[in-house]
Amino acid sequence: MEKFSLIVVAAGSSARMGGVSKQTLVLNNIPVVCHSLIKFNKIGLINDIVVVTRSADINLVKYYVKENNITKVLNVVAGGETRQQSVSNGMRYIDGQTEYIAIHDGARPLILKEDIINVLKNAVIYGSSVLGVRSKDTIKEINEEGFIKTTYKRDSLIHAQTPQAFNKKNFIESLNHCIRNGLDFTDDSQMYEKMGYKIFFTEGSYTNLKITTKEDILLAKSLILDIAEKEKVDG
C-alpha cells in the first residue's frame, strides 16, 4: 500500500489574529493544530508527519503532540518567511522512502476523516489531488480603479482547501524549480501546476474552514461538536 508523508504548516504570523498564534489556541479543550493531527494520526495511509511552526512555538507544539499521543509526528521544525519556504523546510525531515507527500494547513481543524481519505486515494490514482469546494458565489475580477473587469463562470470555479497531495518525486521537482527561478507561491498546488502536471479536484466540505480571524474561531466552536458527532455516527 502506498504511504504518505504529511507536512502540517502551522507557521503563519497570525497578523489578523492580533499576533496570537491561531494554531495553539484551544478549541473544545484541544489546541487548534492538534485537531487535524489527531485525525491524520489515525489514517493508515499516513506514514509520518512533520509539523512546521513558528520558532517560538516549537516546544509548545511538541508538548501538545506528546500530550495528545500523536505518535506519527516525528519532527516539529521551524518555518520560513513564506508558506513555500515553510513547506521546503518541512520536506527536509520527511521519510525518504514514502512515495507521496500531503500538505495540510494547521489552521484547518475541522477537516473530515472521509475527505482526507478521498484526497489521498485520488492522489494515488491521478498522481495528485487538491481538496476543495465549488464556488457558491459569482466571482468577479476588478481593475486597479476598483471597477468590475470580468465575471467568471461559477460552474468552473472552486475554492481550494487542504489537504493537497502529490507524487513526491514530482512535487520535489516542482518545488526545486520554483526555488531556482525565484518563484514563491501561497498555494502548494501552484508549484505543481507550474511544471505542467495535472491536478485532480476532490470535492470536500464547506465546514473545512481555515481559521484566520477571531470570527472564524467563533464559527469553528459552533461547528466542532456537530462534526465530532457526525464522524462518530459515520464510524
Side-chain angles (χ1 to χ4, degrees):
M1 183 182 294
E2 292 82 358
K3 292 289 185 178
F4 286 77
S5 291
L6 171 70
I7 295 175
V8 173
V9 184
S13 64
S14 299
R16 282 171 284 185
M17 292 286 291
V20 176
S21 177
K22 56 193 174 185
Q23 292 90 357
T24 56
L25 288 173
V26 175
L27 181 63
N28 195 29
N29 299 318
I30 298 174
V32 166
V33 68
C34 288
H35 280 276
S36 58
L37 287 173
I38 289 168
K39 291 186 181 181
F40 280 105
N41 196 64
K42 296 177 181 178
I43 292 175
L45 288 168
I46 299 295
N47 178 70
D48 59 294
I49 303 172
V50 174
V51 181
V52 185
T53 191
R54 302 191 303 186
S55 296
D57 292 334
I58 288 177
N59 288 335
L60 183 58
V61 171
K62 285 182 177 180
Y63 169 77
Y64 286 151
V65 165
K66 184 177 180 180
E67 283 293 295
N68 288 279
N69 196 32
I70 306 171
T71 56
K72 291 183 181 180
V73 173
L74 303 184
N75 290 286
V76 179
V77 302
E81 294 183 4
T82 67
R83 181 189 179 87
Q84 185 173 300
Q85 290 172 15
S86 292
V87 170
S88 180
N89 287 356
M91 290 292 293
R92 300 171 188 170
Y93 296 90
I94 62 173
D95 187 336
Q97 302 303 310
T98 55
E99 297 179 63
Y100 293 86
I101 180 75
I103 304 170
H104 185 63
D105 297 321
R108 289 189 190 270
L110 306 183
I111 181 67
L112 299 178
K113 179 181 178 182
E114 176 186 8
D115 290 343
I116 295 173
I117 292 172
N118 286 340
V119 78
L120 297 184
K121 287 184 175 180
N122 283 337
V124 174
I125 295 170
Y126 300 105
S128 64
S129 186
V130 168
L131 193 69
V133 291
R134 299 182 187 276
S135 177
K136 293 181 179 181
D137 304 309
T138 298
I139 306 298
K140 296 178 180 287
E141 180 183 354
I142 60 173
N143 62 20
E144 293 179 357
E145 288 77 35
F147 292 96
I148 291 173
K149 179 181 177 181
T150 307
T151 300
Y152 293 97
K153 187 178 179 182
R154 185 171 60 188
D155 293 347
S156 64
L157 299 175
I158 68 164
H159 295 276
Q161 301 177 340
T162 64
Q164 301 183 2
F166 312 92
N167 174 285
K168 190 176 73 175
K169 179 182 177 181
N170 293 345
F171 185 79
I172 291 173
E173 176 191 10
S174 303
L175 177 60
N176 288 339
H177 172 81
C178 290
I179 293 171
R180 287 194 304 269
N181 290 279
L183 302 172
D184 195 289
F185 295 115
T186 58
D187 178 78
D188 310 306
S189 62
Q190 285 179 281
M191 292 184 275
Y192 215 71
E193 291 174 52
K194 193 67 178 176
M195 295 299 292
Y197 291 118
K198 292 183 178 180
I199 305 170
F200 188 78
F201 163 55
T202 297
E203 191 155 5
S205 306
Y206 291 98
T207 53
N208 184 27
L209 62 89
K210 184 177 182 180
I211 293 178
T212 306
T213 65
K214 294 178 181 179
E215 290 77 12
D216 295 330
I217 286 285
L218 296 175
L219 181 55
K221 286 181 177 179
S222 71
L223 292 171
I224 192 89
L225 294 179
D226 289 340
I227 290 174
E229 187 62 29
K230 177 184 183 301
E231 293 202 319
K232 182 178 179 182
V233 171
D234 291 346

